[in-house]
Amino acid sequence: MRYDAIVVGGSFAGLSAALYIARARRRVCVIDAGAPRNRFAAASHGFFAQDGENPLAMIAAARAQLAAYPNATLVTGEAVSARAQGDGFAVSLAEGRRLEAAKLVLAFGISDILPDLPGLAERWGASVLHCPYCHGFEFAGRVLGVLYAGPKSVHQAELVAEWGPTTLFLNGNPAPDAEAAARLAARKVRIEPGPVRALAGDGAALSALVMADGRTVALDALFVGPRYRLNSPIAEGLGCAVDEGMLGPTIRTDAMKETTVPGVYAAGDAARFPHSVAWASADGVTAGVSLHQALVFPRLAA
C-alpha cells in the first residue's frame, strides 16, 4: 500500500503531524525507533495541561490515540534511508522492508553529545540538565552550576542565575572577556576556572563537582548546553539543506515546515532551535497541515 504520508519519528513532533494528517482522512504511516530525546527525564514541564507528566507516558498515550484512526499505521523500526521515487518517495527500514508515500515528514529528532565526565551521563535528565525553562523550577533557590561547553555557556549562566545562585565552571577553558565577565558579575554569577574531574552524589542526585585539584564544590544541579547530532542521515540523503548552528545541525525549512526538497517536511528538534516539547508538537501540527494542503492543492504546492 502506498501512503499519503510517511512520518519518520514518532515522538512529540512526528505524532502531532501524523494526528493531523490522519484526521484529514489521509493514509499516514509513522516509523519510530523508540528512543525519544527526553526519555532520560522522569517528567516533562511547560506543555499545556501536561505539566509534570512522564514524557514516555505522554508518547504512549499519543500513539494509542493515533492508532485509533483506521487510516493510521505505526511501525516500530528504524528508517535508514529514503529516496525520491516517481511522484513520491520510498523509505527503507533496517529490517529490509520498503514503504512508499506521496510525501514525507522528517521528525527523527536529535541526540545530545554529552561531555565525557565521570558521573555526568547517568545524571542526565535528573540533576544534569540542559534547559532551565524545562527543569529550573524544581531546583529554584538551590545551588546551581553551568558547565562551559562554548561561548553560549556564558549566556546560559546569565539566564540560569534567574533560578538560583549560579557558578560557571570553565573546566579549564579560557576566561570570558572583560565584557562577558562584567555581565556575569552583574548577574552575581561566580566563575570557577579549574578543570572538573567528576560529578558526585547518591544515585541520580548531584551533590558536588570534584575538581582536578581535589577540591569539591557543592552543587545541586548542573546545566550544560551540549552539542548535538541529527539522529538520521535521511535529510542529507534526500538533498535537504542542513544548516550548521552553534550547537549542531538543523534541517532548513520554510514557515510551513517544508524543507528545500519539495514534498519533504521536517519538524521537531531536528528542524528548529531552540527546543522544547511544546515547540516540537506545534511544528508537527504545522508540518501535518501543510503536507495535507499540498495534497489537496498540488498546484499551489508546486
Side-chain angles (χ1 to χ4, degrees), residues 233-248:
I234 286 178
E236 293 100 321
L238 286 166
C240 302
V242 175
D243 299 319
E244 188 63 35
M246 185 175 293
L247 297 179

Side-chain angles (χ1 to χ4, degrees), residues 175-204:
D177 61 30
E179 180 184 353
R183 296 201 313 269
L184 290 167
R187 297 288 292 153
K188 298 181 179 178
V189 174
R190 178 175 171 267
I191 297 176
E192 175 59 63
V196 178
R197 179 187 298 166
L199 285 70
D202 294 331

Side-chain angles (χ1 to χ4, degrees), residues 119 122-124 126-128 139 142 199-208 219-222:
E122 52 264 48
R123 293 179 173 84
W124 182 242
S127 56
V128 179
F139 290 94
R142 299 170 71 179
L199 285 70
D202 294 331
L206 177 64
S207 61
L219 209 62
D220 294 308
L222 180 68

Side-chain angles (χ1 to χ4, degrees), residues 138-166:
E138 285 64 40
F139 290 94
R142 299 170 71 179
V143 184
L144 309 177
V146 171
L147 183 67
Y148 187 89
K152 192 174 177 61
S153 298
V154 172
H155 170 76
Q156 187 180 30
E158 293 178 77
L159 181 63
V160 168
E162 185 74 6
W163 280 265
T166 301

Side-chain angles (χ1 to χ4, degrees), residues 22-248:
R23 288 189 56 77
R25 303 189 302 164
R26 296 289 183 152
R27 296 183 302 275
V28 59
C29 175
V30 177
I31 304 169
D32 184 53
R37 184 188 186 192
N38 59 1
R39 65 190 182 277
F40 303 101
S44 171
H45 294 286
F47 193 32
F48 181 76
Q50 299 291 322
D51 188 54
E53 293 296 319
N54 182 283
L56 294 180
M58 294 165 70
I59 291 170
R63 284 176 60 90
Q65 291 168 7
L66 178 64
Y69 289 84
N71 50 322
T73 301
L74 292 99
V75 173
T76 299
E78 181 186 2
V80 294
S81 65
R83 62 181 177 86
Q85 179 173 286
D87 61 348
F89 301 90
V91 178
S92 296
L93 278 67
E95 67 188 39
R97 194 168 19 153
R98 190 180 68 178
L99 305 176
E100 298 178 3
K103 298 186 184 298
L104 302 180
V105 178
L106 306 182
F108 44 68
I110 62 176
S111 290
D112 296 292
I113 304 170
L114 298 179
D116 186 17
L117 280 175
L120 189 146
E122 52 264 48
R123 293 179 173 84
W124 182 242
S127 56
V128 179
L129 312 162
H130 79 289
C131 172
Y133 293 105
C134 300
H135 302 289
F137 187 87
E138 285 64 40
F139 290 94
R142 299 170 71 179
V143 184
L144 309 177
V146 171
L147 183 67
Y148 187 89
K152 192 174 177 61
S153 298
V154 172
H155 170 76
Q156 187 180 30
E158 293 178 77
L159 181 63
V160 168
E162 185 74 6
W163 280 265
T166 301
T167 298
L168 173 60
F169 292 86
L170 293 178
N171 196 24
N173 288 285
D177 61 30
E179 180 184 353
R183 296 201 313 269
L184 290 167
R187 297 288 292 153
K188 298 181 179 178
V189 174
R190 178 175 171 267
I191 297 176
E192 175 59 63
V196 178
R197 179 187 298 166
L199 285 70
D202 294 331
L206 177 64
S207 61
L209 295 192
V210 181
M211 309 302 293
D213 61 10
R215 291 180 298 120
T216 59
V217 180
L219 209 62
D220 294 308
L222 180 68
F223 288 85
V224 58
R227 289 193 59 79
Y228 56 82
R229 60 173 176 80
L230 298 179
N231 281 338
S232 170
I234 286 178
E236 293 100 321
L238 286 166
C240 302
V242 175
D243 299 319
E244 188 63 35
M246 185 175 293
L247 297 179

